[in-house]
Amino acid sequence: MASIEMSHIVKQYGDGFPAVNDVSLDIADGEFMILVGPSGCGKSTLLRMIVGLEDITSGDMVIGGDRVNDKAPRDRNLSMVFQNYALYPHLSVFENIAFPLRLAKVPDGEVKKRVEEAAGVLELKEHLERKPANLSGGQRQRVAMGRAIVRSADAFLFDEPLSNLDAKLRGQMRTEIARLQRRLGITTVYVTHDQTEAMTLGDRVCVLRKGVIQQVASPRELYEQP
Ligand code: ADP
Ligand code: ADP
């Protein structure tokens, strides 16, 4: 687990208006932070800078006390869940979840144990031998989450993970994500434009507009505003 401290973060693509413009935000160890705001406000860019998939133009990104500006994604020990799941169609559910452990050359016995643990938490145990194509949208999303939780990451990053699901599944998955995060207590940054997710999932909500933080508040504080 680790805190995420951003100070005066700027991202400039080309020579236009900065996509992220002087963002300073501290996310505590174990905290669940939501990033919301209209399309184009810089949510994904900020998330991608935390993971290391996007260079930071200026400012400091400190994760677990380490300045990570120049660290490659693989050296940051973070897990990201994408909107489009990014599952491998030719691999079984088991091997999809196991993927990060295979990359890390974890021994087979340990892989089996950890995949089964993750599958248990996510109620995927009966589906481990199936291929992604034979799963429902919600099950596929759970496999993507399984891959994120199978190794012990310092933080989870979610980029609109539920936006491709129908309303009913979204509700179910929302409950599951909340349960999972409480159980694991891992620092989480979650990008969404869904009001319900923003108001029910997070400890705090950071509202972005045109690359600038407008407000950081608890869901209750936001709700009670006039
Ligand atoms: P959000 O996730 O809130 O929709 P983004 O972070 O995707 O916003 O985008 C923020 C701004 O940066 C937008 O104006 C977008 O057009 C721009 N942008 C995002 N990615 C790139 C890129 N790779 N190259 C140039 N501009 C980009
Ligand atoms: P390359 O070194 O081939 O350019 P990347 O920089 O995209 O590859 O990724 C390097 C490592 O970071 C990979 O081992 C990959 O597992 C990990 N990685 C890439 N994207 C993410 C992500 N979104 N979340 C967590 N880890 C990632």
Side-chain angles (χ1 to χ4, degrees):
M1 290 218 294
S3 60
I4 300 172
E5 295 158 35
M6 294 175 247
S7 80
H8 303 291
I9 297 284
V10 174
K11 177 66 191 190
Q12 177 97 46
Y13 293 109
D15 50 11
F17 200 78
V20 171
N21 196 355
D22 198 20
V23 162
S24 294
L25 178 66
D26 285 354
I27 304 170
D29 209 359
E31 186 173 25
F32 196 131
M33 177 67 79
I34 303 275
L35 302 181
V36 291
S39 178
C41 72
K43 304 181 295 292
S44 296
T45 299
L46 198 56
L47 202 67
R48 291 167 62 81
M49 286 192 287
I50 296 172
V51 183
L53 295 173
E54 204 73 73
D55 288 337
I56 298 169
T57 306
S58 64
D60 286 314
M61 180 72 69
V62 175
I63 300 178
D66 285 339
R67 185 173 184 276
V68 298
N69 287 49
D70 302 318
K71 272 195 181 180
R74 73 175 78 80
D75 297 325
R76 297 192 186 196
N77 199 30
L78 306 173
S79 274
M80 179 142 165
V81 180
F82 296 94
Q83 183 174 45
N84 56 9
Y85 317 140
L87 300 181
Y88 299 99
H90 59 291
L91 296 180
S92 65
V93 168
F94 183 101
E95 287 303 333
N96 265 284
I97 296 176
F99 197 78
L101 304 178
R102 300 290 190 206
L103 279 184
K105 307 220 173 353
V106 172
D108 282 351
E110 179 70 14
V111 169
K112 187 164 186 297
K113 183 172 150 256
R114 280 161 65 178
V115 170
E116 283 177 354
E117 231 168 61
V121 173
L122 292 162
E123 294 175 15
L124 285 170
K125 272 197 159 165
E126 303 95 272
H127 308 299
L128 285 173
E129 297 315 315
R130 294 167 75 175
K131 296 276 167 63
N134 304 319
L135 300 174
S136 70
Q139 287 167 337
R140 279 204 285 270
Q141 182 56 346
R142 268 183 260 156
V143 175
M145 290 194 354
R147 192 161 61 191
I149 67 167
V150 75
R151 67 198 179 95
S152 41
D154 289 334
F156 290 150
L157 294 316
F158 291 96
D159 193 357
E160 306 208 21
L162 308 185
S163 58
N164 291 335
L165 304 179
D166 65 39
K168 180 159 167 272
L169 262 175
R170 231 177 9 244
Q172 283 172 11
M173 288 304 297
R174 204 166 56 229
T175 312
E176 269 177 56
I177 288 174
R179 194 168 49 92
L180 195 65
Q181 202 273 344
R182 271 198 299 276
R183 176 166 161 173
L184 301 170
I186 289 186
T187 311
T188 301
V189 188
Y190 189 106
V191 166
T192 184
H193 58 248
D194 183 295
Q195 202 76 2
T196 313
E197 287 172 32
M199 296 311 261
T200 55
L201 277 173
D203 297 317
R204 285 193 297 161
V205 181
C206 173
V207 184
L208 287 168
R209 184 172 293 266
K210 295 183 177 161
V212 174
I213 294 183
Q214 274 204 317
Q215 191 173 24
V216 185
S218 70
R220 173 180 290 270
E221 284 162 349
L222 282 182
Y223 183 75
E224 286 172 354
Q225 262 172 25

